[in-house]
Amino acid sequence: MTAATIIQSLASGLLMGLLYGLIAVGLALIFGLMDVTNFAHGEFLMFAMYVTFFCFAFFAIDPILAAPIVAAVLFVFGAVVYLGIVRFAMRAKTNVGMVQIFATFGLAIVMRGLAQLFFTPDYRSIPTTWLGGKTVAIAGIYLPAPQLAGGAVSILAFAVLYLLIKKTDFGKALEATREDAGAVALVGIDKNKVFALGWGLGSALVGLAGAIMASFFYIYPDVGASFALIAYVTVALGGFGSVFGAFAGGIVVGLVEACTAMVLPPSMKSVGIYAVYLLVVFFRPRGLFGSI
């Protein structure tokens, strides 16, 4: 194994890690805001990929151009899911945590079943895209253009999210509601509106990730399951509720996956991810950047 091969693998792992972070940050945002884990997160990703596919199939819109459209569709979908399902699950008098888990888990099953019913279990893909099949050479390292674009979109999305949370009134309302959802009503903040917007924002972020991934990954009803598992590990590594932790955790997961693939068969590349996760759970249960 040469140095060039190692650098190539690490660069590819970094790009995938940025995408993992983008997939996971919506999960982290929702958990940090409401202490609710969205067990339908993978199905949100699947839905975003199908929206991207049909934008291309019916309107010939490239995934890069479709990304804002998909994000907008997922924003509305996420807000509707909160208002129509999660809001009522949170009103449970007993076993609130279990009710929330079963509500989102049930939603995942319904979404997957509907996808199989309407779209069939067949694998689909977008055959021709602006970036498909292209590579970019940087200092002798060849990087696939779709993953490179995905990494750039991820960095931009995290930068915009940081500015939104830290520099805007909406971000301040998010932080205040996160600290004390009951007290914010005293200063005129509607927590249900903030929660709905938070769900919409978290869903829009996974929508961006889905649009990028649809350009180089197969699309089928179960596609979200494996990525959801990686997203949960990423959020746990970075620290539940930490947006920056999701970003850093995604990079760690991508690099560890790449390193594992260099020493183990590709089918076992996830072993390293879960090994690192177990180490973090044992020695730093709150995650790398968690504060709980």
Side-chain angles (χ1 to χ4, degrees), residues 51-62 65-66 69:
V51 172
T52 307
F53 174 80
F54 287 114
C55 280
F56 178 84
F58 292 119
F59 306 106
I61 302 176
D62 189 86
L65 291 181
I69 300 172

Side-chain angles (χ1 to χ4, degrees), residues 242-254:
S242 172
V243 170
F244 178 75
F247 179 73
I251 293 175
V252 170
V253 167

Side-chain angles (χ1 to χ4, degrees), residues 182-196:
V184 293
L186 299 176
V187 294
I189 296 176
D190 184 347
K191 73 173 184 179
N192 279 320
K193 182 178 180 180
V194 173
F195 286 161

